[in-house]
């Protein structure tokens, strides 16, 4: 019999029977959306869990990113990373903003602060870094540059749910942070997202913008969008939150098993674990280096042949896609590290239901060339 397929991820789901009473509440109240009771409860619960002051829920992370740029009235040019999911840069184009790409740090694979200053022009208004794989950016260096040049900072924190740095949640850095609660994320509400912000006034502006700009029945203060999370998503999120610590703990075990199992395989490198206080183990990327007997793409295909569906996040680079590749900052010469790493990376399967035997199967498949 052929081995069962293993995908890069599998959504965590709280037990269905625990969800039923919440659905009954919704059926009874008939409040389905527009900031209902579950929406409010989830915002409160997430503030407490994540250790942040204000959070505004969204229907998904992409709409939250698009809205975050509107919240701060960002225009002109924004400096960002090519090494991310395409939604990061798409959020700029949806706002008529020109992305300016800079290279990444070879260790963390996050935007390299040393590359930012040279990319600043009179049109630059903000920085849009990504905590890629949940590994925190160099937030202090980024803030220093932002302060020097009067720039806003919006973190794409889609991967960084529950990640804590030296001073608590990594989501408290910058002007805004944007989360994704997509099915493939550490914490999911089927689809979902959020903006984290430091003060009540900004939270109010976000709430207006995600609800068409409505303040009350007869007042519209901005050309807002419909970005609201509905009650089913919010109720499910509330339930998921009760299980997320266990999910992260299991992810940590899987990561540790990969790290020890892959140690000593020539040409396979794992990312350094990072200095932050709490990881979420959202992804497990490996880099297939020249010393490995096969190319990255051969290994990727060989794994698929035995039912192991890793993913090459983030290859191609965002800058390889047609809507970006004509930009001067998108040239490979401007992005040597990102170009190199995107050719080496494979994200291995990691999710709470993955069993030790599955992890060993992946390790074995990589070890036996
Ligand atoms: N910024 C960053 C840095 C992001 O990574 C993302 C999303 C965003 C912004 C935008 O946030 P959202 O608007 O999505 O909230 C996936 C996700 O669709 C995407 O959310 C995520 N990043 C990106 C990194 O990965 P795909 O195209 O790779 O997904 P897909 O459908 O191939 O799923 C991967 C595997 O997961 C499948 O092989 C099987 C498994 N899976 C997936 C889904 C959707 C399931 O078992 N069940 C499912 O329901 O993009």
């Amino acid at each position: 019999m052929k081995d069962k397929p293993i995908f890069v991820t599998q959504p965590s789901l709280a037990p269905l029977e625990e969800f039923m009473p919440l659905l009954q509440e919704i059926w009874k109240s008939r409040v389905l959306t527009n900031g209902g009771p579950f929406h409010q409860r989830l915002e409160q619960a997430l503030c407490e869990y994540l250790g942040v002051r204000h959070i505004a829920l969204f229907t998904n992370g992409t709409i939250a990113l698009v809205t975050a740029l509107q919240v701060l009235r960002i225009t002109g040019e924004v400096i960002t990373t090519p090494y991310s999911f395409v939604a990061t840069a798409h959020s700029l184009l949806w706002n008529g903003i020109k992305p300016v790409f800079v290279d990444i740090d070879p260790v963390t694979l996050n935007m390299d602060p040393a590359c930012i200053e040279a990319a600043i022009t009179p049109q630059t208004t903000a920085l849009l870094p990504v905590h890629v794989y949940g590994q925190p950016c160099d937030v202090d260096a980024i803030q220093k540059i932002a302060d020097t040049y009067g720039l806003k900072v919006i973190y794409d924190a889609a991967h960084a749910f529950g990640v804590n740095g030296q001073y608590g949640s990594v989501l408290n850095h910058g002007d805004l942070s944007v989360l994704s609660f997509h099915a493939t994320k550490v914490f999911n509400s089927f689809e979902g997202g959020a903006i984290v912000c430091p003060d009540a006034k900004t939270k109010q502006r976000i709430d207006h913008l995600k609800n068409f700009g409505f303040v009350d029945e007869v007042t519209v203060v901005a050309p807002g969008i419909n970005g609201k999370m509905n009650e089913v998503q919010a109720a499910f999120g509330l339930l998921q939150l009760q299980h997320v610590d266990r999910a992260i703990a299991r992810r940590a075990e899987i990561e540790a098993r990969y790290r020890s199992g892959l140690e000593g395989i020539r040409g396979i490198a794992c990312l350094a674990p990072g200095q932050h206080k709490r990881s979420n183990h959202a992804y497990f990327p490996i880099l297939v280096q020249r010393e490995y007997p096969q190319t990255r793409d051969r290994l990727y295909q060989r794994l698929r042949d035995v039912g192991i569906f890793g993913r090459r996040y983030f290859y191609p680079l965002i800058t390889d896609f047609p809507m970006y590749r004509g930009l001067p900052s998108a040239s490979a010469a401007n992005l040597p590290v990102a170009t190199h790493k995107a050719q080496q990376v494979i994200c291995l399967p990691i999710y709470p239901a993955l069993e030790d035997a599955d992890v060993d199967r992946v390790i074995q498949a990589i070890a036996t060339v």
Side-chain angles (χ1 to χ4, degrees):
M1 198 186 73
K2 209 168 177 301
D3 285 327
K4 70 170 178 3
I6 304 175
F7 295 100
V8 68
T9 188
Q10 184 187 86
S12 300
L13 286 173
L16 185 57
E17 60 274 17
E18 291 181 21
F19 191 36
M20 294 314 278
L22 305 184
L23 286 178
Q24 275 160 354
E25 262 187 69
I26 294 171
W27 257 245
K28 205 164 142 209
S29 73
R30 290 184 189 263
V31 178
L32 308 189
T33 187
N34 287 6
F38 281 113
H39 186 283
Q40 290 175 32
R41 279 168 65 188
L42 182 58
E43 285 193 346
Q44 182 64 37
L46 283 172
C47 280
E48 282 162 26
Y49 179 84
L50 296 170
V52 301
R53 282 190 286 280
H54 297 278
I55 194 161
L57 298 175
F58 275 77
T59 186
N60 62 54
T62 303
I63 295 289
L65 269 176
V66 169
T67 308
L69 291 156
Q70 294 267 330
V71 170
L72 300 180
R73 299 181 175 82
I74 304 300
T75 57
E77 295 178 5
V78 169
I79 296 172
T80 190
T81 169
Y83 193 86
S84 180
F85 188 59
V86 73
T88 309
H90 279 0
S91 71
L92 297 171
L93 292 196
W94 272 74
N95 279 290
I97 295 165
K98 180 177 169 188
V100 175
F101 296 99
V102 296
D103 210 0
I104 59 172
D105 178 277
V107 176
T108 64
L109 310 189
N110 286 324
M111 184 194 271
D112 186 347
C115 298
I116 296 174
E117 278 186 280
I120 295 173
T121 75
Q123 282 71 47
T124 311
T125 55
L127 308 176
L128 179 59
V130 180
H131 301 297
V132 82
Y133 308 133
Q135 177 96 269
C137 291
D138 186 344
V139 289
D140 292 335
I142 288 171
Q143 196 57 53
K144 200 162 162 220
I145 296 166
D147 290 343
T148 306
Y149 292 90
L151 307 175
K152 301 285 187 193
V153 183
I154 299 176
Y155 281 103
D156 181 337
H159 302 176
F161 184 93
V163 173
N164 287 346
Q166 208 184 338
Y167 309 108
S169 176
V170 76
L171 305 170
N172 287 322
H173 293 282
D175 294 278
L176 299 173
S177 291
V178 176
L179 288 161
S180 165
F181 307 150
H182 183 264
T184 56
K185 297 291 187 272
V186 166
F187 170 80
N188 85 76
S189 55
F190 278 46
E191 293 247 17
I195 303 179
V196 172
C197 70
D199 62 283
K201 209 167 143 207
T202 308
K203 157 82 167 137
Q204 191 184 50
R205 177 161 165 79
I206 300 169
D207 285 345
H208 292 159
L209 281 173
K210 78 177 192 188
N211 188 30
F212 314 100
F214 273 112
V215 173
D216 59 39
E217 239 175 86
V218 293
T219 316
V220 173
V221 291
I225 198 157
N226 182 359
K228 293 164 279 134
M229 178 182 276
N230 70 50
E231 285 292 278
V232 175
Q233 283 175 292
F236 187 66
L238 207 54
L239 177 60
Q240 293 279 79
L241 202 52
Q242 293 175 21
H243 298 272
V244 75
D245 279 337
R246 217 173 323 134
I248 292 174
R250 175 63 192 146
R251 284 173 173 276
E253 287 172 7
I254 294 168
E255 173 167 339
R257 199 168 182 92
Y258 272 135
R259 282 189 185 278
S260 71
L262 294 169
E263 212 172 39
I265 301 181
R266 231 170 103 79
I268 298 293
C270 305
L271 293 198
Q275 300 303 309
H276 48 299
K277 287 243 165 74
R278 187 193 190 217
S279 301
N280 64 6
H281 315 280
Y283 294 85
F284 191 77
I286 57 165
L287 300 173
V288 184
Q289 299 173 325
R290 204 176 305 144
E291 298 74 30
Y292 190 73
Q294 295 187 347
T295 64
R296 184 276 308 269
D297 287 339
R298 281 244 181 84
L299 174 60
Y300 170 75
Q301 190 53 51
R302 256 178 37 83
L303 292 173
R304 289 176 71 93
D305 292 344
V306 295
I308 298 165
F309 296 88
R311 290 292 289 267
R312 289 164 291 183
Y313 297 133
F314 288 102
Y315 163 88
L317 291 175
I318 295 177
T319 40
D320 291 331
F321 294 120
M323 62 296 295
Y324 301 104
R325 66 180 170 222
L327 292 167
S329 65
S331 72
N334 185 46
L335 308 165
V337 181
T339 303
H340 186 52
K341 300 296 177 186
Q343 283 159 6
Q344 293 187 322
V345 72
I346 303 179
C347 284
L348 300 182
I350 186 164
Y351 52 88
L354 195 69
E355 290 171 12
D356 285 352
D358 298 326
V359 178
D360 294 344
R361 198 178 122 197
V362 178
I363 294 166
Q364 201 51 35
I366 296 169
T368 48
V369 188

